[in-house]
Amino acid sequence: MATNTRPRTADSVEQAEPQAAEPREQRGEPAGQLRSYYERMSLIRAFELRSSEMYARAKIGGYCHLNLGEEATVVGLMEALQARDYLFVGYRDHGYALMRGLSPERVMAELFGKTTGVSGGRGGSMHMYDTETRLFGGYGIVGGQIPPATGVALALTYRQKPGAEAEAVMCLLGDGTTNIGAFHESLNLAGLWNLPIVFVVVNNKLGMGTTVERSSAEPELHKRGASYRIPGVRVDGDDVIAVRDAARAALDQARTLRRPVLLEVMCYRLRGHSVVDPARYRSADDTAVAQKADPVPAFRATLIAAGVLDEAAADAIDAEADARVTAAVEFAEKSPDPSPDDLFAYVYATPVANAPSALPGDPVTDAL
Amino acid sequence: MATNTRPRTADSVEQAEPQAAEPREQRGEPAGQLRSYYERMSLIRAFELRSSEMYARAKIGGYCHLNLGEEATVVGLMEALQARDYLFVGYRDHGYALMRGLSPERVMAELFGKTTGVSGGRGGSMHMYDTETRLFGGYGIVGGQIPPATGVALALTYRQKPGAEAEAVMCLLGDGTTNIGAFHESLNLAGLWNLPIVFVVVNNKLGMGTTVERSSAEPELHKRGASYRIPGVRVDGDDVIAVRDAARAALDQARTLRRPVLLEVMCYRLRGHSVVDPARYRSADDTAVAQKADPVPAFRATLIAAGVLDEAAADAIDAEADARVTAAVEFAEKSPDPSPDDLFAYVYATPVANAPSALPGDPVTDAL
Amino acid sequence: MTTEMRTTPAIRTITYRQALNETLRAELLRDENVFLIGEEIGVFEGSYKITAGLLAEFGPQRVVDAPIAEEGFVGAAIGAAMVGMRPVVEIMTINFSLIAIDQIVNHAAKMRSMYGGQVAVPMVIRMPGGGGQQLAATHSQNLEVWYAHIPGLKVVAPSTPADAKALLTAAIRDDDPVIFLENLSLYSAKGEVPDGEQVAEIGKAAIVRTGTDLSIVSYSRGTTTALEVARQLEAEGLSIEVVDLRSLRPLDRDTICASVRKTGHAVVFEDDWLSYGIGAEISATIGEGVFDFLDAPVRRVAAAEVPLPYAKSLELAALPSAAALSRVVREVLNVAPLDK
Amino acid sequence: MTTEMRTTPAIRTITYRQALNETLRAELLRDENVFLIGEEIGVFEGSYKITAGLLAEFGPQRVVDAPIAEEGFVGAAIGAAMVGMRPVVEIMTINFSLIAIDQIVNHAAKMRSMYGGQVAVPMVIRMPGGGGQQLAATHSQNLEVWYAHIPGLKVVAPSTPADAKALLTAAIRDDDPVIFLENLSLYSAKGEVPDGEQVAEIGKAAIVRTGTDLSIVSYSRGTTTALEVARQLEAEGLSIEVVDLRSLRPLDRDTICASVRKTGHAVVFEDDWLSYGIGAEISATIGEGVFDFLDAPVRRVAAAEVPLPYAKSLELAALPSAAALSRVVREVLNVAPLDK
Ligand SMILES: Cc1ncc(C[n+]2csc(CCOP(=O)(O)OP(=O)(O)O)c2C)c(N)n1
Ligand SMILES: Cc1ncc(C[n+]2csc(CCOP(=O)(O)OP(=O)(O)O)c2C)c(N)n1
Ligand SMILES: [Mg+2]
Ligand SMILES: [Mg+2]
């Protein structure tokens, strides 16, 4: 069982600048911690911008959904989640994989479809999975993650008692995803069976081109917990501290009381739905609002105003993030492609007789 | 478009005893009307008891779910529903078919699998359908009726304006059925698109052997409308007048305001889930409560106490109901079985080349 | 008086239902990670009473009554399996599995491959199928070919109580999602079942009757009919071999082909609809695998392609019968029926 | 200058995407009961831009953006069809249809039969399938065989822009639920499309290239590859006939069998997984229908049976290719490749 280690991404940077040297605090937060949050947000930002670029350069294929604009949400949620907890995400999962402690190298290598990737190159952008850090998957089918996440929470009730040290599950989903049947069925099970799970609706106000108001008859999505007697909470997703605290409180309730929580995090999707979507359907006003709310420059400005960072220090952080991503791209580039010889490697966990292994055009029986 | 005619079952009896001759009123209801409600409840009761008997005698096959104990609910709902409205039911649909105006003959013939049956003998107990009375189907898949019912309501918005004369849809479902994804998805669509539909949860407190409390995290089911900003209403299903009035109000809101309603009707299932279920899982106490609430003898007693009926008149009504069901059984017995020659008759509405019509064992091509 | 000599296991004649029930019980006893989940499997003791007595013995954590939410509880079982539990799911009938099929096919079947081998999904999904009970179109389907088509799943369909036991045991101990197909009309069928641990090999067909003139290939309920027909035709001097597939995925093509190589003739008997049914793959496999040994076209006896009607007269006409199978076997062997 | 002479229709070369878009527009104009419903088809103009411009022209009642609720909105379309509307549903890809499949298979397909012919469900469900775009296991499936197996459904799979137009027109005007299968890799393919009303006959295959040595049977994207391979092999002196199925249900067995009767050799080329795929039925049909005319076993070229991986190297290895098809055609005809 993994112990509660801090994410690698944060660790490495913090070691360079020990906390004791930090003079100021903000909102009761140690300055080193605030800087660390900024470092993480900056890393996600740099990673996602580079992903977009690598997609344009055809290094990445398939669908590719970015966390741009959601950095404060991602960092806040992942800061609250303990290493012993389980995480389920949708297809917009790069930032979560990074914050869970996976190296930019392995995440980028997955996008490149390399053996060194998080899922061995088999999953791609939408399907990051890592047993060790209990990242229990990115999921490409809208809502597909919700029932299995609920099932992990069910399994936890077989194996441990509730309490402050108990494990819990966090299941992320989008605003548009609250309209699918699996959401309803799973929340009912979680409420009925008193499961240690926090459902987090990352409300970025759009599902592809559809606004929450055009998709949900009750657009205040946290209120949907009421159908299952699950408390609903809404929090400002551009505020990393608020997100962290709300998520912590929700996880505490899940692990100690075995009561699920529905946490709605309000944020913005800065660009199109995926890297290929120019988002022409979005009005100039909407885009302006989203850009104004952009949590990365906003947090940077706050920290500078508060004296936690100065311009040079902030630039250095951004440059460091960029350098890490550059290294990740180099690593990914150099990593080997999966070999066609391994095509059937993981179809089954228990080998059985007659499992198919024919390549296209092979005869159906050996013994013609 | 069908005009608003009263159900045939009620008509025929009422003509024998004209309303003008009635001396008293109860709760502002003309005595003739009250008697008519009792006649209908008595007919359903007689029909269902006979169905059970015919099942035991192997005249009826497959699954067979009865409305025993739900008679006041069925009569109240169907009294509120206008002929121009559309009705969707689950598999527990015999009483609804009768109250919609289908003769006991045709309903019994369907149970017997005869060509004269409501669905030509092809649907059986769970799948009664009648275009003329806009009984748009019994449905055997739990929740299967909810999306199509919502779709009929959607179609109504293309073809007519809201108003007191507009058509509406009533979609019935059981308490256990509120936990399925289709419930959530459909109510969201209805709320979002402002559809003229009333969702009626017939809460008989059990889904097979599972109580509401063991299946729904929010067991006050009408509250589940809140997730879609759909008002929820709960009514006593043993009170035919209360059910009728609540359903009328809900339908009015649907047709005039185009706002869906979630109406929860509280009643009891008097016997097992289906005719073959001895309901051993039910405690003696629970059974006693259900039996005590039995709306048929209760309503009979109320009407006798109020002087609307005397014992003899009530007995005569019950005897008449029984006689009608006996005639229905005779009709069903004498009716022809569908011919195997017609096996493929209704697979497609538009004939196309090469549609399969092979019987088991036939070669796949004629031209061997 | 207790001896500890190794003996061949005692054999009892029990029903398919009882074989399933006993196996579930034995596996619940054996491994605490095994738990049962499904609608009405506890208090109600199962729609078809397969789980009778198990709630009383094992309690509500091992025998979990789920709300009507097939997608939700099947998906939850997947999640539990991802962390090493071994859920055995009952879906009341295969017809209701359509609501859960996204979880089964897009999730359970794919996770291991898609996540680079990091996770296994050790679960069993038990469900009965089949027509013939006048349950009408929505409740009478044989959709096994859908599951058999999907890489990442294993699909078994036992035809006897003994196989029900041995394949269920194997399925529960297998680390992959296994679709375990039962059949409504087999539940009360009796057969000899050896006591003690019996673990079948998934992916293997069985020759359940040997013969030299023609091979009938079938599975589940169909095998019972095939054996019945084979016995009848013996009186007419025809020697029929019966291949019971047992596993639809993986498919044991070698056993099928070896049988037909010997007999030179094949008929597939299946309960599903003809076009694109299980029999299509069997026929194609034989056509490709033992082309040079085939003395006549492979024929299929399958259900008429209609939503199955409720009326008995129509249901009987639509479902494949022993009579149709006999007729087709004679046609393939080009022999007239005895009495004509 | 306007003449009113009856002329053969003008022909334009347009993409498959444009053919679909124009056809939807024409049918929306023709019949006010027709409406479109699906995710992101309006404001977003369609994930693959098939509905571009239609919201602007027809407004939100005719082009309905639905929430992410496939079961809900597909079921709602069924209800609308029951009262005579003619919904054309877009499911973003066939992979997401699993969530709606209970409504499609247990409801749309069965209602007419089950309710004794009292209702029709005139609707079209359009959806693209197919791999090859690195969309990984959950987004790359070809599950057409599932739908092709179901009585009550009609299933078409056009391979050219002209057929896309003519089959979509037919599907919209048909009174039954029609599954209309598109393919991601065909959307930008160009072809000649006649102007004006073109209504195909559902249930008919087409010989899209005549030949005498071997028949390749395919559909959708596969037909394109089959034609390419046939042209290449012509240089080697091989005369290949290509049968484009067009309709998977009903299946035009006569056209397939007539072709193979003539050529004596057949290869099926399909994008789905081999076992229990479309090709199984084609092979079984040929094996039974023209047994005596077959000079070699029917072979199938299909996808490797794995959840399709994201990595290009693996995706390429798993999907059936022109090269594999050529190789198998040569094997069946027992000819060595030209350059070897
Ligand atoms: C079942 C299913 N339907 C449709 C899609 C296509 N799709 C992918 S993402 C998406 C929008 C989801 O929006 P939301 O839940 O708000 O998440 P966001 O993309 O904003 O993070 C859609 C419709 C899918 N992947 N799965
Ligand atoms: C999708 C699906 N799952 C399960 C079933 C089996 N089933 C039939 S009725 C029923 C219980 C439904 O209970 P409720 O909604 O309360 O209706 P009631 O029977 O009480 O009228 C179940 C589980 C089914 N028909 N369809
Ligand atoms: Mg969103
Ligand atoms: Mg109930």
Side-chain angles (χ1 to χ4, degrees):
Chain A
M1 215 128 283
T3 56
N4 182 10
T5 51
R6 315 251 329 246
R8 219 181 306 171
T9 49
D11 271 356
S12 50
V13 182
E14 277 191 288
Q15 274 159 12
E17 297 175 285
Q19 214 173 289
E22 296 310 319
R24 305 181 198 224
E25 300 195 341
Q26 284 291 315
R27 291 164 70 182
E29 304 288 324
Q33 181 153 294
L34 291 171
R35 190 170 55 232
S36 164
Y37 293 165
Y38 181 69
E39 286 159 358
R40 299 180 209 179
M41 287 166 65
S42 179
L43 177 65
I44 299 175
R45 174 61 50 103
F47 189 94
E48 294 296 58
L49 290 174
R50 198 72 64 89
S51 298
S52 180
E53 188 195 325
M54 290 299 124
Y55 195 95
R57 291 174 50 196
K59 296 290 181 185
I60 301 173
Y63 293 142
C64 190
H65 310 85
L66 308 177
N67 287 121
L68 291 176
E70 302 176 354
E71 290 86 350
T73 294
V74 178
V75 172
L77 291 172
M78 293 303 96
E79 176 72 349
L81 197 72
Q82 302 297 305
R84 66 181 181 279
D85 296 330
Y86 294 84
L87 175 65
F88 286 76
V89 202
Y91 42 83
R92 199 178 293 284
D93 59 356
H94 308 172
Y96 297 96
L98 292 171
M99 290 307 109
R100 205 57 187 146
L102 289 159
S103 69
E105 280 76 3
R106 290 192 60 204
V107 181
M108 190 60 81
E110 187 60 34
L111 299 181
F112 277 51
K114 301 302 183 108
T115 54
T116 52
V118 179
S119 304
R122 289 166 191 256
S125 167
M126 301 193 286
H127 305 116
M128 304 266 173
Y129 192 100
D130 183 61
T131 306
E132 208 179 310
T133 58
R134 299 193 166 181
L135 166 61
F136 260 42
Y139 289 77
I141 301 291
V142 158
Q145 71 274 32
I146 316 177
T150 307
V152 169
L154 174 65
L156 294 183
T157 68
Y158 284 72
R159 295 182 168 170
Q160 48 189 252
K161 296 259 162 288
E165 295 309 312
E167 299 167 5
V169 178
M170 179 182 280
C171 177
L172 298 174
L173 53 127
D175 44 281
T177 304
T178 63
N179 300 305
I180 201 126
F183 171 82
H184 174 70
E185 297 193 3
S186 302
L187 267 74
N188 187 51
L189 297 184
L192 191 68
W193 292 339
N194 298 313
L195 302 183
I197 183 167
V198 177
F199 300 100
V200 181
V201 177
V202 178
N203 185 344
N204 60 13
K205 300 167 190 88
L206 284 171
M208 297 187 68
T210 306
T211 60
V212 175
E213 290 69 25
R214 293 205 309 122
S215 69
S216 300
E218 172 49 89
E220 295 185 63
L221 301 174
H222 59 285
K223 295 192 175 166
R224 291 190 151 174
S227 277
Y228 325 98
R229 297 199 175 166
I230 293 179
V233 181
R234 195 179 245 196
V235 65
D236 176 3
D238 290 329
D239 181 342
V240 60
I241 313 273
V243 171
R244 180 200 65 193
D245 291 347
R248 266 192 195 146
L251 285 162
D252 276 350
Q253 165 153 351
R255 58 178 113 249
T256 58
L257 304 178
R258 285 263 166 87
R259 288 301 305 160
V261 178
L262 179 62
L263 176 63
E264 183 184 12
V265 186
M266 307 301 292
C267 56
Y268 290 93
R269 199 189 73 199
L270 213 51
R271 296 219 184 152
H273 169 67
S274 73
V275 291
V276 298
D277 169 23
R280 293 218 186 81
Y281 46 82
R282 215 159 165 181
S283 70
D285 280 3
D286 278 359
T287 307
V289 171
Q291 274 165 357
K292 207 174 142 216
D294 186 348
V296 182
F299 195 55
R300 178 185 158 121
T302 304
L303 295 194
I304 289 173
V308 172
L309 294 178
D310 57 22
E311 289 283 346
D315 286 349
I317 287 171
D318 293 348
E320 161 74 8
D322 227 57
R324 295 189 65 194
V325 175
T326 300
V329 167
E330 273 165 27
F331 174 84
E333 287 268 25
K334 280 195 214 122
S335 293
D337 290 327
S339 160
D341 293 344
D342 297 330
L343 182 60
F344 296 94
Y346 304 121
V347 180
Y348 294 115
T350 303
V352 280
N354 297 307
S357 62
L359 289 174
D362 284 355
V364 297
T365 52
D366 291 336
L368 268 181
Chain B
M1 218 127 284
T3 56
N4 180 9
T5 51
R6 316 247 333 244
R8 221 182 301 169
T9 49
D11 272 357
S12 51
V13 182
E14 277 190 285
Q15 271 156 16
E17 297 176 282
Q19 213 171 291
E22 295 312 319
R24 305 180 198 223
E25 301 197 340
Q26 284 291 315
R27 289 166 72 182
E29 305 287 323
Q33 180 153 294
L34 291 171
R35 192 168 53 233
S36 164
Y37 292 166
Y38 181 70
E39 287 159 359
R40 299 179 209 180
M41 287 166 64
S42 178
L43 178 66
I44 299 174
R45 175 61 50 104
F47 189 94
E48 294 296 58
L49 290 173
R50 200 71 64 88
S51 297
S52 180
E53 188 194 326
M54 290 298 124
Y55 194 95
R57 292 175 47 196
K59 298 290 181 184
I60 300 174
Y63 292 143
C64 190
H65 309 85
L66 307 176
N67 288 120
L68 291 175
E70 302 177 352
E71 290 86 349
T73 294
V74 178
V75 171
L77 291 173
M78 293 303 96
E79 176 73 349
L81 196 71
Q82 302 297 305
R84 66 181 182 279
D85 295 331
Y86 293 83
L87 176 64
F88 286 76
V89 203
Y91 42 82
R92 200 179 292 284
D93 58 356
H94 307 173
Y96 296 95
L98 292 171
M99 290 307 109
R100 205 57 188 149
L102 289 159
S103 69
E105 280 76 4
R106 291 191 59 203
V107 180
M108 190 61 80
E110 186 61 33
L111 300 181
F112 277 52
K114 302 301 183 112
T115 55
T116 52
V118 179
S119 304
R122 287 165 192 259
S125 168
M126 300 194 288
H127 305 115
M128 305 267 172
Y129 192 100
D130 183 61
T131 306
E132 210 178 309
T133 59
R134 299 192 165 181
L135 167 61
F136 261 41
Y139 289 76
I141 301 291
V142 158
Q145 71 274 30
I146 316 177
T150 306
V152 169
L154 174 65
L156 294 182
T157 67
Y158 285 73
R159 294 182 168 169
Q160 46 189 254
K161 296 256 161 291
E165 296 308 312
E167 299 165 5
V169 178
M170 180 182 278
C171 178
L172 299 174
L173 54 127
D175 44 281
T177 304
T178 63
N179 301 306
I180 200 125
F183 171 83
H184 175 69
E185 297 193 4
S186 302
L187 267 74
N188 187 49
L189 296 184
L192 191 67
W193 292 339
N194 298 313
L195 302 183
I197 183 166
V198 177
F199 300 99
V200 181
V201 177
V202 178
N203 184 344
N204 59 14
K205 300 165 191 89
L206 284 171
M208 297 188 68
T210 306
T211 60
V212 175
E213 290 68 24
R214 292 205 309 122
S215 68
S216 299
E218 171 49 88
E220 296 186 63
L221 301 174
H222 58 284
K223 295 192 176 165
R224 292 190 150 175
S227 278
Y228 325 99
R229 298 201 176 165
I230 293 179
V233 181
R234 194 180 245 197
V235 65
D236 175 3
D238 291 329
D239 182 340
V240 61
I241 314 276
V243 172
R244 180 201 64 193
D245 292 347
R248 265 192 196 144
L251 284 162
D252 277 351
Q253 167 157 350
R255 56 177 115 251
T256 56
L257 303 179
R258 288 263 167 85
R259 286 301 305 160
V261 178
L262 179 63
L263 176 63
E264 182 184 13
V265 186
M266 307 301 291
C267 56
Y268 290 94
R269 199 189 73 197
L270 214 50
R271 296 218 184 151
H273 170 67
S274 74
V275 291
V276 299
D277 169 23
R280 291 216 189 84
Y281 45 84
R282 216 159 163 180
S283 71
D285 280 3
D286 278 359
T287 307
V289 171
Q291 274 164 358
K292 206 175 143 215
D294 186 347
V296 182
F299 194 54
R300 180 186 157 120
T302 305
L303 295 193
I304 289 174
V308 172
L309 295 177
D310 57 21
E311 289 283 346
D315 286 350
I317 287 171
D318 293 349
E320 161 73 9
D322 226 57
R324 294 188 67 195
V325 174
T326 301
V329 167
E330 275 165 24
F331 173 85
E333 287 268 24
K334 282 195 212 121
S335 292
D337 289 327
S339 161
D341 294 344
D342 296 330
L343 181 60
F344 295 94
Y346 304 122
V347 181
Y348 293 116
T350 302
V352 281
N354 298 308
S357 62
L359 290 173
D362 285 355
V364 298
T365 51
D366 293 335
L368 269 182
Chain C
M1 289 290 283
T2 50
T3 59
E4 283 209 310
M5 281 165 39
R6 180 164 294 207
T7 51
T8 50
I11 290 184
R12 288 171 305 136
T13 299
I14 58 174
T15 61
Y16 194 98
R17 171 181 289 108
Q18 197 176 343
L20 293 171
N21 179 278
E22 290 180 7
T23 306
L24 292 173
R25 181 170 179 274
E27 293 299 300
L28 281 164
L29 285 170
R30 186 188 59 84
D31 181 351
E32 63 174 15
N33 288 310
V34 172
F35 71 100
L36 314 186
I37 185 167
E39 290 162 12
E40 306 296 337
I41 62 168
V43 173
F44 198 89
E45 304 204 294
S47 278
Y48 301 101
K49 306 299 167 201
I50 306 304
T51 52
L54 300 179
L55 173 66
E57 181 169 357
F58 296 97
Q61 215 188 17
R62 306 292 302 283
V63 181
V64 184
D65 271 330
I68 313 174
E70 280 82 0
E71 187 176 12
F73 73 75
V74 172
I78 294 171
M82 291 169 81
V83 289
M85 301 291 293
R86 306 189 86 84
V88 182
V89 179
E90 175 176 302
I91 297 184
M92 209 178 274
T93 76
I94 195 172
N95 308 283
F96 313 148
S97 74
L98 273 62
I99 291 173
I101 208 163
D102 170 70
Q103 282 296 319
I104 302 170
V105 169
N106 278 333
H107 296 88
K110 297 190 174 28
M111 281 180 176
R112 183 173 178 76
S113 279
M114 193 165 71
Y115 295 142
Q118 293 182 86
V119 65
V121 185
M123 70 189 291
V124 178
I125 302 180
R126 294 179 38 241
M127 49 195 176
Q133 322 278 320
Q134 280 197 272
L135 300 180
T138 56
H139 284 56
S140 302
Q141 294 171 95
N142 290 276
L143 293 169
E144 48 266 21
V145 74
W146 284 15
Y147 293 105
H149 184 53
I150 304 299
L153 298 180
K154 293 168 180 170
V155 182
V156 298
S159 69
T160 64
D163 262 5
K165 171 177 179 169
L167 280 167
L168 183 55
T169 306
I172 293 173
R173 299 182 188 184
D174 192 286
D175 278 340
D176 294 305
V178 180
I179 306 294
F180 187 90
L181 297 168
E182 303 170 7
N183 190 297
L184 294 181
S185 69
L186 285 178
Y187 281 145
S188 298
K190 289 190 173 171
E192 296 190 338
V193 177
D195 278 350
E197 183 166 278
Q198 304 290 332
V199 193
E201 200 183 337
I202 292 176
K204 287 280 197 186
I207 308 290
V208 291
R209 180 191 168 96
T210 53
T212 52
D213 294 337
L214 180 144
S215 306
I216 301 178
V217 183
S218 195
Y219 60 96
S220 188
R221 184 200 75 95
T223 298
T224 317
T225 309
L227 285 169
E228 181 190 317
V229 167
R231 277 188 293 267
Q232 283 165 9
L233 293 177
E234 196 172 26
E236 302 184 22
L238 302 178
S239 169
I240 308 295
E241 180 146 311
V242 177
V243 182
D244 183 16
L245 293 175
R246 299 169 79 246
S247 171
L248 301 177
R249 179 171 206 90
L251 177 64
D252 184 354
R253 291 190 167 90
D254 292 343
T255 297
I256 301 166
C257 288
S259 173
V260 181
R261 186 180 171 130
K262 181 177 74 173
T263 63
H265 300 91
V267 174
V268 188
F269 187 70
E270 58 190 318
D271 272 333
D272 61 355
W273 293 300
L274 184 126
S275 295
Y276 307 101
I278 292 289
E281 179 58 52
I282 308 306
S283 172
T285 290
I286 296 170
E288 181 179 336
V290 285
F291 183 75
D292 292 331
F293 301 88
L294 211 48
D295 297 325
V298 181
R299 291 277 297 278
R300 291 174 274 166
V301 180
E305 302 190 32
V306 288
L308 198 67
Y310 165 74
K312 198 74 212 170
S313 56
L314 297 177
E315 193 184 47
L316 282 172
L319 292 178
S321 61
L325 177 57
S326 303
R327 193 183 72 235
V328 172
V329 168
R330 288 197 194 90
E331 284 175 19
V332 171
L333 290 175
N334 208 8
V335 294
L338 261 195
D339 291 341
K340 275 190 194 163
Chain D
M1 288 290 285
T2 53
T3 58
E4 284 211 310
M5 282 165 36
R6 178 164 296 206
T7 51
T8 50
I11 290 183
R12 287 172 306 138
T13 298
I14 57 175
T15 61
Y16 194 97
R17 172 183 287 108
Q18 194 175 346
L20 293 171
N21 179 278
E22 290 180 6
T23 305
L24 292 172
R25 180 169 181 274
E27 293 299 299
L28 281 165
L29 284 170
R30 185 187 59 83
D31 182 350
E32 64 175 15
N33 289 311
V34 172
F35 71 99
L36 314 186
I37 185 168
E39 289 162 12
E40 306 296 336
I41 63 169
V43 173
F44 199 91
E45 302 204 296
S47 280
Y48 301 101
K49 306 299 167 201
I50 307 303
T51 51
L54 300 179
L55 173 66
E57 181 169 357
F58 295 97
Q61 215 188 17
R62 306 291 302 285
V63 181
V64 183
D65 271 331
I68 312 175
E70 280 83 1
E71 186 175 14
F73 74 75
V74 171
I78 293 171
M82 291 170 81
V83 289
M85 302 292 293
R86 306 189 85 83
V88 182
V89 180
E90 175 175 302
I91 297 183
M92 209 177 275
T93 76
I94 194 171
N95 309 284
F96 314 148
S97 74
L98 273 61
I99 292 174
I101 207 162
D102 170 70
Q103 282 295 319
I104 300 171
V105 169
N106 278 333
H107 296 88
K110 297 189 175 27
M111 282 181 175
R112 183 172 179 77
S113 280
M114 193 166 68
Y115 295 143
Q118 292 182 86
V119 64
V121 184
M123 72 189 290
V124 178
I125 302 179
R126 293 179 38 240
M127 46 194 179
Q133 322 277 318
Q134 279 195 275
L135 300 181
T138 58
H139 283 57
S140 302
Q141 294 169 96
N142 291 275
L143 293 169
E144 47 266 20
V145 74
W146 284 15
Y147 293 105
H149 184 52
I150 305 299
L153 297 180
K154 294 168 179 170
V155 182
V156 299
S159 69
T160 64
D163 262 5
K165 171 177 180 170
L167 280 167
L168 183 55
T169 307
I172 293 174
R173 299 183 189 184
D174 193 287
D175 278 340
D176 295 305
V178 181
I179 306 295
F180 188 90
L181 298 168
E182 304 169 5
N183 190 298
L184 293 180
S185 68
L186 284 178
Y187 281 144
S188 297
K190 288 190 176 176
E192 295 192 337
V193 178
D195 278 350
E197 183 165 278
Q198 305 289 334
V199 192
E201 200 181 337
I202 292 176
K204 288 280 198 185
I207 307 290
V208 291
R209 178 189 169 97
T210 54
T212 52
D213 294 336
L214 181 145
S215 305
I216 300 178
V217 183
S218 195
Y219 60 96
S220 189
R221 183 199 76 94
T223 298
T224 318
T225 309
L227 285 169
E228 182 190 318
V229 167
R231 275 188 295 266
Q232 284 165 7
L233 293 177
E234 197 172 25
E236 302 183 24
L238 302 179
S239 170
I240 308 295
E241 179 145 311
V242 178
V243 182
D244 183 16
L245 293 175
R246 299 170 80 245
S247 172
L248 300 178
R249 182 172 201 88
L251 177 64
D252 184 354
R253 292 189 166 88
D254 292 344
T255 298
I256 301 167
C257 288
S259 173
V260 181
R261 187 181 171 127
K262 184 178 74 174
T263 62
H265 299 91
V267 174
V268 188
F269 187 70
E270 59 191 316
D271 272 333
D272 61 356
W273 292 301
L274 184 126
S275 293
Y276 307 100
I278 293 288
E281 179 58 50
I282 308 307
S283 171
T285 290
I286 295 170
E288 181 178 336
V290 287
F291 183 75
D292 292 332
F293 301 88
L294 212 47
D295 297 325
V298 180
R299 291 277 298 277
R300 292 174 274 165
V301 180
E305 302 191 32
V306 287
L308 199 66
Y310 165 74
K312 197 76 211 168
S313 56
L314 297 177
E315 192 183 47
L316 281 172
L319 292 178
S321 62
L325 177 57
S326 304
R327 191 184 72 234
V328 173
V329 168
R330 287 196 195 93
E331 283 174 20
V332 171
L333 291 175
N334 209 7
V335 294
L338 261 195
D339 291 343
K340 276 193 195 166

